[in-house]
Amino acid sequence: MAAVEKMQSPSPSKRTATLSVGDKNVSFPIYDGVEGPSVIDISKLYGETGFFTYDPGFMSTASCDSKITFIDGDKGILRYRGYDIDALAEKCDFLEVAYLLLNGELPNKKDKQSFDRTVTLHTMIHEQLHFLFRGFPRASHPMAIMVGAAASLSAFYHDSLDINVAGERELAAYRLIAKMPTLAAMAYKYSVGMPFIYPQNDMSFAENFLHMMFATPCEKYKVNPVLAKAMDKILILHADHEQNASTSTVRMAGSSGANPFACIGAGIASLWGPAHGGANEAVINMLKEIGDVSKIPDFIKKVKDKQSGIKLMGFGHRVYKNYDPRATVLRKTCQEVLAELGKIDEPLLKMAVELERIALSDEYFVERKLYPNVDFYSGIIYRAMGIPSKMFTVLFAVARTVGWVAQWKEMMEDPKTKIGRPRQLFTGSAPRAFVPLEKR
Ligand code: SDX
């Protein structure tokens, strides 16, 4: 495996930022990245001024420096290790992109074969883990199972894992990337009362996942190559995305030295929220609720009425104030998959395309720079493949495990890393005398 470029301190530019607090002027170094916004290093702010910064939701805060993924929200750019996402989605397979995210370089033929084979040989899970599934109600949301199943991998590897040793971090990375699709397919099979299907070592990552999802012990199951290719592309598009909520959760959990399997469990929990990875399931529920193209104008009216609290799911993004480049690829993949399956007239797709057309011409969405994001089309593809909507965010987690692990590894190998411990603005009670129970 290629050696990852070492993390060092960002190189300070000649420029500084000066803050005047009371009668004091304090200067802070400015660091320039390779591209994107520069940063002001305010790590000494509290020591120099007694003030904290205040930035709920981290709208203007860089939590780290990273070499993995770059996003330009205004231009709708997404690059993994410098490569544009549409080129990677078009020309690579998922494990090739996983290698790139983990190691910083695309693999040569020999490295690719060895990486793929190593992942393949880690796809099985310990037989004891089957009993964990048996403890869940059959109707459990598969994300509830995945949070538990991923974290429970630490019960099998914690004692043999020293995360301060590079080779052991690499082994943990292989295990997590390889076992997530197996756990995901098991969560689906368990929910429909069907037997678990074991991974097949002669299949590609995406083909193996679809086989574990849809094969039965009763007959040979041939995975449709068009669907395997589409699934592979979808996994690439979801693999990493800079310091989003779930990745920041994994970094925060990992900063305390927690077991990487438990950290991925925390990431899955964060991804489940409807404002984040849960949006793909929410998009399908929204389209079903609208019911018909003719009802779209009424729905749009409700979305624009703040009192309704209704959001246009699959639209908007904290960073992209332009079309999410992943949505562009997914829109095309959606049409390819539906055509392959003879479902090009799928009513939900027609509704999605009409909803997008109306929203993109409506001042309310235009002035707020609300465009389709990665979740807007992915659910329609999954549904056409026969994947239930409760599994959509699970698929997001399978793909994003690569990004979470790459970011966790980068953090573990960064000498600047400290345990994350933000402060607060205290707005609670001023000091007050205790009142004994009999006097309250
Ligand atoms: C993902 O961070 C990542 O990179 C995430 C992700 C990844 O790969 O990891 O890209 C994956 O999570 C994609 C986002 C999926 N979520 C959704 O599709 C849910 C719907 N979207 C919204 O909840 C919202 O757009 C967010 C949460 C995604 C972003 O919200 P922000 O950045 O906090 O923006 P905001 O809520 O301050 O909105 C700004 C304005 C507000 O109106 P005003 O107060 O200015 O009048 O836009 C409005 C919001 O009400 N708005 C929406 C809207 N999203 C924002 N109005 C209607 N529908 C929406 N979807």
Side-chain angles (χ1 to χ4, degrees):
M1 205 184 252
V4 185
E5 195 187 336
K6 281 257 166 291
M7 293 297 287
Q8 355 39 49
S9 295
S11 41
S13 72
K14 299 273 172 288
R15 293 171 292 143
T16 58
T18 303
L19 184 66
S20 59
V21 183
D23 54 2
K24 202 174 172 189
N25 281 341
V26 189
S27 291
F28 301 95
I30 290 176
Y31 302 138
D32 296 327
V34 166
E35 49 181 334
S38 296
V39 298
I40 299 171
D41 177 351
I42 50 111
S43 43
K44 296 201 169 26
L45 175 75
Y46 179 56
E48 304 257 344
T49 68
F51 281 77
F52 296 139
T53 57
Y54 181 66
D55 184 16
F58 311 118
M59 307 285 278
S60 306
T61 295
S63 59
C64 61
D65 53 290
S66 174
K67 300 176 187 299
I68 299 174
T69 292
F70 174 72
I71 303 172
D72 181 322
D74 295 329
K75 297 190 189 124
I77 289 172
L78 168 58
R79 295 196 193 107
Y80 294 161
R81 300 283 191 179
Y83 295 100
D84 279 321
I85 190 65
D86 42 4
L88 294 172
E90 213 39 57
K91 303 187 171 84
C92 290
D93 68 27
F94 178 61
L95 286 185
E96 210 169 344
V97 171
Y99 183 100
L100 171 69
L101 287 167
L102 285 166
N103 301 299
E105 298 298 335
L106 284 165
N108 59 31
K109 263 211 185 89
K110 184 169 123 332
D111 289 340
K112 180 170 175 9
Q113 271 158 7
S114 141
F115 184 78
D116 289 5
R117 182 70 184 154
T118 307
V119 170
T120 295
L121 296 181
H122 282 288
T123 47
M124 282 222 294
I125 57 138
H126 196 293
E127 285 289 305
Q128 282 304 105
L129 249 170
H130 288 215
F131 297 107
L132 174 88
F133 283 79
R134 306 244 173 270
F136 288 95
R138 290 274 179 184
S140 306
H141 194 293
M143 281 298 275
I145 298 177
M146 289 303 288
V147 172
S152 66
L153 288 171
S154 44
F156 295 83
Y157 304 113
H158 182 75
D159 301 340
S160 62
L161 176 60
D162 176 353
I163 53 177
N164 300 305
V165 173
E168 301 212 5
R169 288 196 295 271
E170 198 174 48
L171 180 54
Y174 278 124
R175 282 172 165 155
L176 278 160
I177 293 166
K179 296 179 193 308
M180 279 293 281
T182 310
L183 294 173
M186 289 171 75
Y188 168 62
K189 286 298 198 191
Y190 185 73
S191 72
V192 292
M194 291 178 79
F196 299 142
I197 298 296
Y198 282 81
Q200 298 301 306
N201 289 355
D202 60 349
M203 292 186 180
S204 73
F205 191 92
E207 197 185 358
N208 204 6
F209 175 62
L210 290 175
H211 185 264
M212 290 188 285
M213 281 284 292
F214 297 118
T216 69
C218 316
E219 60 183 23
K220 272 213 160 312
Y221 178 82
K222 176 97 181 74
V223 175
N224 178 328
V226 172
L227 302 191
K229 176 79 189 131
M231 179 56 75
D232 193 80
K233 196 176 277 190
I234 293 170
L235 292 169
I236 290 172
L237 295 169
H238 286 79
D240 193 51
H241 211 241
E242 202 216 61
Q243 305 311 320
N244 57 84
S246 53
T247 298
S248 301
T249 302
V250 171
R251 277 183 173 258
M252 180 62 92
S255 72
S256 73
N259 181 298
F261 302 96
C263 294
I264 296 304
I268 296 172
S270 171
L271 185 73
W272 193 0
H276 189 15
N280 49 21
E281 181 179 358
V283 166
I284 294 296
N285 296 339
M286 172 184 75
L287 293 173
K288 284 183 187 165
E289 197 193 310
I290 296 171
D292 183 79
V293 170
S294 61
K295 303 266 180 35
I296 290 178
D298 277 353
F299 180 77
I300 293 278
K301 237 188 250 135
K302 277 192 220 150
V303 169
K304 287 155 69 171
D305 165 15
K306 290 270 187 236
Q307 303 309 320
S308 74
I310 294 174
K311 293 237 187 231
L312 185 50
M313 300 314 277
F315 261 70
H317 198 279
R318 171 61 58 76
V319 177
Y320 289 122
K321 302 307 172 193
N322 199 324
Y323 214 102
D324 182 334
R326 300 167 297 177
T328 309
V329 179
L330 283 169
R331 191 172 195 264
K332 184 164 160 281
T333 308
C334 190
Q335 275 143 358
E336 286 162 4
V337 166
L338 293 183
E340 169 66 18
L341 296 173
K343 298 181 176 175
I344 198 65
D345 294 333
E346 158 68 50
L348 290 187
L349 174 63
K350 283 187 173 328
M351 251 201 288
V353 171
E354 180 59 8
L355 194 53
E356 176 186 340
R357 186 190 68 74
I358 295 177
L360 294 186
S361 56
D362 184 308
E363 206 30 50
Y364 181 90
F365 299 94
V366 173
E367 72 187 27
R368 288 170 178 79
K369 299 184 177 177
L370 301 176
Y371 292 86
N373 59 48
V374 67
D375 291 307
F376 191 60
Y377 284 103
S378 52
I380 300 170
I381 303 172
Y382 294 146
R383 181 183 149 88
M385 289 179 172
I387 297 169
S389 57
K390 285 190 181 313
M391 281 293 293
F392 293 177
T393 311
V394 172
L395 299 192
F396 197 147
V398 168
R400 188 52 58 88
T401 294
V402 166
W404 289 332
V405 167
Q407 299 267 353
W408 168 78
K409 235 171 123 272
E410 181 177 71
M411 181 195 69
M412 291 302 293
E413 289 156 10
D414 184 344
K416 304 188 300 304
T417 294
K418 294 179 185 310
I419 185 167
R421 203 312 184 180
R423 301 301 301 274
Q424 63 178 14
L425 174 69
F426 180 69
T427 55
S429 298
R432 48 186 171 161
F434 178 77
V435 178
L437 181 60
E438 57 277 8
K439 293 207 171 112
R440 276 179 244 154

